[in-house]
Amino acid sequence: MQRRSFLKAGLLGGLALVAGGAVYRQLRPAPARRFALDAEGRAMLAVLLPAIIGFTPDAAALEAGIDRVGAAVNGLPLRVQKEISDLFGLLSMAPTRRLLAGVPAWPEATPEQLAAFLQSWRTHRTEMLQTAYHGLHDLVLGGWYAEPSSWAAIAYSGPMKELSA
């Protein structure tokens, strides 16, 4: 790729992100002070959670894991909750989801598409997308492994007990 083409692609990508953010802010009212996991966010997490943890849990465990991710977000500072809400909103809108994640719709995403999306954000040259990847990754893993019943999958026996002298 020539430098001029690279710069044009970067500029167009930046403009698309700005336009997507503007459309998102116009179509969706400002969220309440606290993060609220809506149906679109739950649908996204229902496919991203198995892709990130590496296996598909049963339906009840998946729902509980999604709830724990929502609770983990609610434990963060309000400014961070707003950023996560904006990220979830952008990934819920079809044009920005296709542009940023390359996924037509979350329920229709194949494991290959999800892996490619996560890998591309993890290694992206733009720090913003790398940060978004790490945020999603850490929230999902933190929410999933906050439940002691999920520890067996990684052979974790729990926190060490302090021995009394």
Side-chain angles (χ1 to χ4, degrees), residues 114-158:
L114 295 172
F117 154 60
L118 292 169
Q119 179 66 11
S120 72
W121 276 28
R122 188 179 74 79
T123 60
H124 203 275
R125 67 180 174 274
T126 306
E127 185 178 349
M128 179 181 68
L129 292 181
Q130 288 181 12
T131 302
Y133 164 80
H134 289 292
L136 280 173
H137 181 266
D138 292 353
L139 283 169
V140 168
L141 286 181
W144 180 255
Y145 289 112
E147 173 59 37
S149 65
S150 64
W151 297 348
I154 57 171
Y156 177 61
S157 59

Side-chain angles (χ1 to χ4, degrees), residues 24-125:
Y24 168 72
R25 296 224 186 266
Q26 292 297 319
L27 294 177
R28 296 183 67 140
R33 295 187 51 86
R34 310 252 358 130
F35 175 79
L37 190 56
D38 60 9
E40 294 163 339
R42 293 185 78 80
M44 179 181 72
L45 286 174
V47 296
L48 284 179
L49 193 142
I52 291 173
I53 65 172
F55 63 93
T56 303
D58 63 59
L62 179 63
E63 285 300 314
I66 291 169
D67 290 340
R68 288 192 303 273
V69 171
V73 174
N74 279 314
L76 297 171
L78 291 176
R79 179 185 57 79
V80 177
Q81 289 184 41
K82 172 80 169 99
E83 290 174 1
I84 293 169
S85 180
D86 288 347
L87 175 62
F88 275 46
L90 285 172
L91 290 175
S92 294
M93 290 177 25
T96 53
R97 180 183 57 246
R98 282 184 177 270
L99 178 68
L100 294 173
V103 176
W106 292 116
E108 299 166 9
T110 66
E112 295 79 19
Q113 287 174 320
L114 295 172
F117 154 60
L118 292 169
Q119 179 66 11
S120 72
W121 276 28
R122 188 179 74 79
T123 60
H124 203 275
R125 67 180 174 274

